[in-house]
């Protein structure tokens, strides 16, 4: 216990010192040094506009023209004022405003009106936003704003007067120089990646910046090599990070080609690795599996990104570097989280979901994790990052990871994971079309002396999934009052669950009528003396829906390690279950 506490305290102070160092160096580079050293010459013009491949909506453009700004679920009516003059309702809303991603909606509405509206809003930002604005000049926000201004520049620069053009170019140039100065001090992970992509886009877009192209491309290559794992996943282990990076990186590749600049091999390799990983996390309805901060899937953006995939390769099954496994047979897909938490510096949105899984059949999503909120509600984030919000086993109502809880430190270093599973063993086997994966983690070993092991097997036709959850004791084993477990299966809100056979099974019915039957037993697979376990139906919440949070249900199997250290459960498609209704836990045997 003492060693664990000391290790976590050391982790906290390492993160605090890293933050303070980055903050001090960023101030020196962007402030004092930026004033002393001569800056780069102001470019005369923009020669190319990288394409924005995100979907635009003319209705949003009409709202903006009417003074209604709706971001992250919050609507603000400015009433004739500039949106940069009012007090924002939240930091997230302010961040979305200052990123200017909403400019893309103006390009698909009335041209003349959109041009004047865009110019007026950019003029307001230049005039009203101070250099020390904490949100507007955060590195990631500046990077997004630079990309938005570059990609939408034809909209507001075409036909503009010389005064606006020069004022815009001076402001853009100032932001690009700022990003060059502080890229090393930007937070690790996605923030630094976005800065690198923005600098590459800027170097390809402006005249007279050819000498910076190689420098920007080299730095982008460095971030891609360090953040994109060999299997195409991101170092944060978030599926959403792959979408965001590709959405920004593909236009940069196009801009390089348009300027006659050959994209580097590192960029091409990173794109080629990430494309199959998009399909890895894909369910049959086009939504992404909800792991490590993934929220609502931007299906239109994913479809656009996949249109750039010339190879159209099949998704990998074993993404061992990212820590995920995919089991697919017939129409059925199971995606398992079998990896440790990401490094602390990039774990601020990572979850304690080790050995959780999601399951779908065709377009029917059946077993899910709770997902992530689209807004930064701290209390809600604490709930959804916990192990109980995932379809896995929870021991003593405790998460398998420990998060930073000290409120006074959150404003400095966020809420990283301080400790979690370190040793994760994975064994994958395929035999005559039958696929099985067995994995274990030690996230509960130091606190409760328990190793959680989960085995999943899918039959060749995808009609049956057999799972085994084992709780292996190590050392002295758990205390008598610390051996309670709950195995949770969160259900998608579109399915309906009800009890069968006086409570010894649960029927799950999908919107199209497809049905699956869930049963659980306290035994090893194939044990003739297996005892039926009661599976409870309880309330749950599904956060990753386009219509907001939705109530749903979860199946929960409760037990104690000293009474039932092994639980075998099954999900069987109803048509396949009729012939084996009396024996739902036997063949085929798991290689555990």
């Amino acid at each position: 216990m003492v060693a664990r506490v000391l290790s976590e305290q050391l982790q906290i102070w390492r993160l605090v010192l890293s933050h303070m160092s980055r903050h001090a160096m960023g101030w020196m580079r962007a402030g004092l040094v930026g004033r002393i050293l001569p800056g780069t010459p102001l470019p005369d013009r923009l020669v190319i506009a990288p394409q924005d491949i995100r979907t635009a909506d003319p209705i949003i453009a009409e709202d903006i023209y009417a003074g209604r700004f709706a971001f992250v679920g919050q609507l603000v009516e400015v009433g004739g004022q500039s949106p940069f003059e009012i007090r924002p309702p939240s930091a997230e809303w302010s961040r979305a405003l200052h990123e200017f991603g909403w400019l893309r909606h103006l390009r698909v509405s009335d041209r003349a009106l959109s041009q004047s509206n865009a110019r007026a809003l950019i003029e307001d930002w230049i005039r009203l936003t101070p250099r020390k604005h904490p949100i507007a000049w955060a590195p990631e926000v500046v990077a997004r704003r630079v990309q938005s201004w570059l990609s939408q520049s034809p909209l507001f620069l075409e036909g503009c007067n010389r005064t606006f053009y020069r004022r815009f170019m001076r402001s853009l140039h100032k932001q690009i120089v700022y990003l060059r100065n502080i890229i090393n001090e930007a937070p690790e992970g996605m923030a630094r990646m976005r800065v690198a992509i923005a600098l590459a886009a800027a170097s390809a877009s402006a005249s007279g910046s050819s000498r910076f192209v190689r420098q920007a491309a080299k730095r982008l290559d460095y971030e891609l090599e360090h953040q994109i794992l060999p299997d195409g996943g991101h170092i944060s282990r978030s599926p959403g990070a792959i979408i965001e990076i590709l959405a920004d990186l593909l236009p940069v590749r196009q801009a390089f080609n348009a300027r006659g600049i050959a994209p580097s091999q590192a960029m091409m390799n990173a794109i080629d690795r990430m494309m199959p990983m998009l399909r890895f996390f894909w369910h049959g309805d086009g939504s992404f599996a909800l792991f490590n901060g993934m929220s609502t899937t931007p299906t239109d953006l994913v479809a656009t990104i996949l249109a750039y995939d010339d190879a159209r390769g099949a998704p990998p099954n074993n993404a061992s570097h990212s820590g995920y496994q995919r089991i697919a047979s017939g129409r059925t897909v199971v995606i398992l989280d079998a990896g440790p938490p990401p490094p602390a510096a990039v774990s601020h949105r990572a979850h304690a979901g080790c050995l959780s899984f999601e399951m779908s059949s065709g377009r029917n999503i059946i077993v899910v994790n709770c997902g992530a909120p689209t807004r930064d509600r701290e209390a809600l984030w604490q709930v959804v990052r916990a192990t109980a919000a995932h379809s896995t086993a929870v021991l003593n109502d405790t998460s398998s990871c420990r998060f930073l809880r000290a409120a006074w430190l959150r404003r400095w270093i966020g809420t990283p994971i301080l400790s979690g599973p370190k040793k994760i063993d994975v064994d994958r086997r395929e035999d005559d079309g039958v696929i099985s994966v067995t994995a274990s983690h030690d996230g509960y070993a130091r606190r409760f002396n328990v190793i959680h092991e989960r085995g999943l097997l899918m039959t060749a036709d995808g009609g049956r999934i057999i799972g085994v959850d084992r709780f292996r004791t190590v050392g002295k084993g758990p205390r008598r009052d610390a051996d309670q477990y709950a195995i949770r299966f969160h259900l998608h809100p579109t399915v309906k669950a009800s009890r069968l056979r006086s409570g010894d099974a649960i029927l799950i019915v999908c919107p199209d009528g497809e049905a699956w039957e869930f049963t659980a037993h306290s035994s090893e697979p194939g044990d003739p003396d297996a005892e039926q376990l009661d599976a409870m139906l309880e309330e749950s919440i599904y956060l990753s829906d386009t219509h907001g949070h939705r109530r749903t249900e979860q199946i929960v199997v409760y037990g104690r390690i000293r009474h039932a250290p092994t639980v075998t459960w099954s999900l069987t498609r109803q048509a396949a279950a009729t012939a084996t209704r009396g024996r739902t836990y036997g063949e085929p045997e798991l290689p555990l």
Side-chain angles (χ1 to χ4, degrees):
M1 175 65 75
V2 174
R4 176 173 60 81
V5 172
L6 289 175
S7 175
E8 291 180 2
Q9 291 296 323
L10 181 63
Q11 182 82 283
I12 290 173
W13 286 112
R14 187 183 296 118
L15 292 169
V16 170
L17 291 174
S18 175
H19 171 84
M20 294 175 65
S21 173
R22 288 199 316 269
H23 185 75
M25 290 299 296
W27 177 83
M28 290 181 63
R29 289 179 183 273
L32 182 63
V33 175
R35 294 189 184 96
I36 294 175
L37 295 180
T40 57
L42 181 69
D44 294 329
R45 60 195 177 92
L46 296 178
V47 295
I48 194 172
Q51 183 183 7
D52 188 346
I53 65 175
R54 292 175 171 85
T55 303
D57 187 347
I59 296 177
I60 297 178
E62 294 175 6
D63 287 339
I64 291 173
Y65 183 72
R68 295 188 295 269
F69 292 81
F71 308 130
V72 295
Q74 295 175 298
L75 174 65
V76 173
E77 297 193 34
V78 297
Q81 289 182 286
S82 168
F84 303 104
E85 291 180 306
I86 67 170
R87 183 174 181 176
S90 68
E92 306 153 78
W93 187 93
S94 180
R95 197 157 45 239
L97 176 69
H98 287 282
E99 287 174 352
F100 277 81
W102 42 268
L103 270 180
R104 71 181 185 273
H105 302 298
L106 298 181
R107 75 169 186 255
V108 293
S109 60
D110 181 81
R111 186 73 176 180
L113 190 61
S114 297
Q115 284 182 323
S116 60
N117 198 11
R119 289 173 194 152
L121 290 167
I122 291 173
E123 288 254 32
D124 286 348
W125 186 90
I126 295 172
R127 177 172 54 89
L128 297 171
T129 306
R131 175 62 181 79
K132 294 184 178 181
H133 194 290
I135 293 177
W137 284 91
E140 188 172 3
V141 175
V142 178
R144 284 184 172 273
R145 183 166 59 249
V146 166
Q147 286 182 279
S148 296
W149 283 14
L150 290 172
S151 61
Q152 307 307 328
S153 57
L155 169 68
F156 50 81
L157 292 183
E158 181 183 337
C160 72
N161 60 51
R162 184 172 180 81
T163 301
F164 174 81
Y165 197 103
R166 297 301 293 173
R167 188 179 295 121
F168 168 79
M169 291 300 293
R170 279 196 298 270
S171 178
L172 179 64
H173 176 64
K174 184 189 300 183
Q175 295 174 64
I176 293 170
V177 172
Y178 170 78
L179 292 179
R180 287 180 184 144
N181 287 336
I182 56 86
I183 184 170
N184 291 324
E185 283 67 53
E188 295 181 42
M190 284 298 294
R192 200 172 293 179
M193 176 70 79
R194 287 190 173 112
V195 173
I197 293 175
L199 287 174
S203 68
S205 301
S207 64
S209 60
S210 56
R211 70 189 183 96
F212 295 108
V213 172
R214 180 176 297 180
Q215 177 185 348
K218 185 176 180 180
R219 184 51 196 257
L220 178 56
D221 288 349
Y222 176 86
E223 294 301 330
L224 289 171
E225 290 170 354
H226 282 75
Q227 294 194 37
I228 305 304
L229 301 171
D231 55 22
H234 186 253
I235 192 174
S236 67
R237 303 194 64 234
S238 171
I242 307 170
I243 302 173
E244 291 298 314
I245 292 172
L246 283 171
D248 292 333
L249 190 60
L250 290 172
V252 172
R253 184 184 67 175
Q254 284 183 312
F256 274 32
N257 287 328
R259 290 292 305 274
I261 305 166
S264 68
Q265 194 60 46
M267 182 192 296
M268 300 302 291
N269 288 341
I271 292 173
D272 289 343
R273 295 199 307 273
M274 284 188 283
M275 283 294 190
M277 281 301 287
L278 284 180
R279 292 184 170 88
F280 179 95
F281 290 109
W282 220 3
H283 285 300
D285 69 338
S287 64
F288 266 43
L290 304 177
F291 297 107
N292 290 304
M294 183 65 201
S295 186
T296 305
T297 303
T299 52
D300 52 349
L301 179 58
V302 173
T304 302
I305 292 172
L306 287 174
Y308 286 81
D309 185 12
D310 298 328
R312 299 189 180 276
N317 291 320
N318 184 355
S320 57
H321 293 91
S322 297
Y324 292 100
Q325 296 286 323
R326 180 182 174 95
I327 308 172
S329 290
R331 305 173 58 226
T332 310
V333 172
V334 167
I335 305 172
L336 173 72
D337 181 345
V346 294
S347 67
H348 303 282
R349 288 293 180 258
H351 294 190
C354 192
L355 301 194
S356 65
F357 78 100
E358 292 202 346
M359 173 254 182
S360 61
S361 174
R363 297 184 60 83
N364 297 316
I365 313 300
I366 298 171
V367 179
V368 295
N369 297 314
C370 289
T374 54
R375 293 178 54 193
D376 285 337
R377 297 176 179 174
E378 189 58 42
L380 199 53
W381 267 105
Q382 292 182 26
V383 171
V384 300
R385 296 177 75 190
T387 304
H390 298 78
S391 293
T392 187
V394 184
L395 191 59
N396 299 312
D397 200 23
T398 304
S399 289
S400 58
C401 294
R402 288 175 61 87
F403 305 95
L404 178 68
R405 299 295 189 193
W408 67 277
L409 282 173
R410 288 178 194 161
R411 64 185 297 265
W412 294 93
I413 59 175
T415 53
I417 292 178
L418 301 177
S419 63
K422 292 183 177 180
K423 180 177 172 50
I424 299 178
D425 296 319
V426 181
D427 177 38
R428 182 185 182 97
R429 301 184 186 184
E430 299 187 31
D431 184 19
D432 293 333
V434 177
I435 307 170
S436 66
V437 174
T438 305
S440 63
H441 77 80
D442 62 350
Y444 292 119
R446 298 179 71 177
R447 280 174 286 175
F448 303 118
N449 297 317
V450 173
I451 300 291
H452 175 213
E453 182 180 277
R454 165 165 280 182
L456 295 175
L457 180 146
M458 185 183 294
T459 55
D461 63 353
R464 192 172 189 206
I465 300 165
I466 302 174
V468 177
D469 282 293
R470 282 201 186 96
F471 303 93
R472 295 191 284 108
T473 59
V474 294
K476 297 180 180 179
R479 301 189 313 270
R480 289 187 62 84
D481 61 343
D483 71 337
Q484 302 177 36
Y485 59 78
I487 307 173
R488 300 182 180 275
F489 305 82
H490 295 271
L491 302 177
H492 193 272
T494 59
V495 304
K496 303 298 180 184
S498 58
R499 290 184 174 279
L500 289 179
R501 299 193 227 142
S502 302
D504 64 353
I506 289 177
L507 183 68
I508 304 169
V509 181
C510 304
D512 62 359
E514 180 180 351
W516 289 73
E517 186 180 288
F518 176 91
T519 59
H521 301 80
S522 60
S523 72
E524 295 287 346
D527 185 351
D529 298 323
E531 296 182 5
Q532 189 86 25
L533 290 177
D534 284 338
M536 311 296 292
L537 273 177
E538 299 181 359
E539 287 187 354
S540 181
I541 186 170
Y542 185 76
L543 300 177
S544 302
D545 190 80
T546 53
H547 303 292
H549 306 164
R550 296 176 65 181
R551 288 186 177 182
T552 185
E553 292 181 300
Q554 60 177 314
I555 301 170
V556 189
V557 177
Y558 292 100
R560 305 196 74 136
I561 295 175
R562 65 174 178 267
H563 295 151
T566 300
V567 175
T568 299
W569 50 267
S570 68
L571 279 162
T572 308
R573 192 177 282 123
Q574 191 178 43
T578 54
T580 59
R581 184 171 294 273
R583 182 179 173 86
T584 58
Y585 54 90
E587 77 298 339
E589 185 174 351
L590 280 168
L592 301 178

